[in-house]
Amino acid sequence: EAGVAQSPRYKIIEKRQSVAFWCNPISGHATLYWYQQILGQGPKLLIQFQNNGVVDDSQLPKDRFSAERLKGVDSTLKIQPAKLEDSAVYLCASSRDFHYEQYFGPGTRLTVT
Amino acid sequence: LAKTTQPISMDSYEGQEVNITCSHNNIATNDYITWYQQFPSQGPRFIIQGYKTKVTNEVASLFIPADRKSSTLSLPRVSLSDTAVYYCLVGDGNNAGNMLTFGGGTRLMVKP
């Protein structure tokens, strides 16, 4: 089966600009996650969707980050405006349901200058 | 919030068994324990998951004591390709407030 797809793979923007990331999960997976991974640290969960509803977004900086999951399938994560500290790899993962193993995409490496 | 603690790094040699322990003192009743492996420039990859006692698959074993306050990932006969960061993840992911939390990870270096 096809894995989790993410685009773009790399993005360089200036601070205060906006950026969007796209994720296509594995077909049939009900749960979708967005993580932020800063260099040298473990992934930090930003938001978790169950189908098209939000389960947890307690660590999402809602003043600048937003996410949606269209029709319970694809998802986009947006940052507006970006700050220097947003430089990180943004990982999307999906799972069959909430406590099943997660399958991760390759990530998008964001550099904010 | 089930915070996890792991050793920052470990060294081993090819052919040895490696045991990595994760502490999760305030694990909740519904929480599962999951281990992931991550290579540079890649997303984490699932290794094994358990709730209690022992779980074994083709690549690893997971030992969970009765109090569930810790867990040990056992990798038999490691090879150079097992050099990676290993993360312990605790949570059930089924409700807000019990979010999935990755630890800081253990950087395993396998030497020839």
Side-chain angles (χ1 to χ4, degrees):
Chain A
E1 63 183 358
V4 175
Q6 289 188 248
S7 67
R9 290 296 311 279
Y10 305 92
K11 190 74 176 179
I12 301 174
I13 61 172
E14 295 182 350
K15 60 183 178 184
R16 292 187 290 273
Q17 287 187 323
S18 63
V19 65
F21 312 127
W22 173 81
C23 173
N24 179 234
I26 293 173
S27 177
H29 279 195
T31 314
L32 186 145
Y33 314 80
W34 282 102
Y35 290 89
Q36 179 193 61
Q37 187 170 27
I38 294 172
L39 188 64
Q41 298 181 18
K44 182 180 86 169
L45 181 68
L46 294 176
I47 189 168
Q48 177 185 340
F49 291 96
Q50 184 71 8
N51 297 305
N52 60 352
V54 175
V55 174
D56 193 321
D57 63 356
S58 57
Q59 295 200 113
L60 186 74
K62 298 181 185 65
D63 58 333
R64 298 185 300 107
F65 286 64
S66 64
E68 62 178 359
R69 188 174 185 195
L70 305 172
K71 299 180 180 178
V73 183
D74 291 6
S75 178
T76 56
L77 176 70
K78 298 179 182 177
I79 307 175
Q80 182 178 9
K83 292 184 176 181
L84 296 177
E85 58 261 36
D86 297 333
S87 294
V89 175
Y90 290 85
L91 294 162
C92 178
S94 71
S95 63
R96 246 193 312 158
D97 207 330
F98 58 87
H99 68 74
Y100 286 85
E101 62 189 88
Q102 296 179 44
Y103 293 83
F104 283 80
T108 296
R109 183 176 299 277
L110 174 67
T111 302
V112 182
T113 63
Chain B
L1 177 59
K3 179 178 168 57
T4 60
T5 304
Q6 306 174 231
I8 293 174
S9 64
M10 295 181 68
D11 288 345
S12 183
Y13 290 93
E14 283 190 292
Q16 289 189 331
E17 178 184 73
V18 170
N19 296 308
I20 306 174
T21 297
C22 179
S23 296
H24 28 80
N25 290 320
N26 56 343
I27 188 169
T29 302
N30 295 330
D31 286 348
Y32 283 77
I33 300 157
T34 313
W35 284 80
Y36 287 84
Q37 175 192 56
Q38 187 175 30
F39 298 112
S41 301
Q42 294 185 24
R45 185 178 68 140
F46 172 85
I47 301 174
I48 196 165
Q49 183 183 70
Y51 182 80
K52 61 180 179 180
T53 63
K54 176 184 174 182
V55 180
T56 298
N57 62 22
E58 62 275 9
V59 299
S61 295
L62 178 59
F63 298 92
I64 305 169
D67 65 6
R68 304 201 327 124
K69 293 183 182 299
S70 67
S71 58
T72 299
L73 173 72
S74 180
L75 304 172
R77 299 181 298 282
V78 294
S79 64
L80 297 177
S81 62
D82 293 318
T83 294
V85 179
Y86 292 81
Y87 291 101
C88 166
L89 177 65
V90 174
D92 77 348
N94 191 31
N95 61 84
N98 188 23
M99 62 183 144
L100 300 166
T101 307
F102 276 85
T106 298
R107 191 171 302 274
L108 173 66
M109 173 68 72
V110 180
K111 303 174 184 178

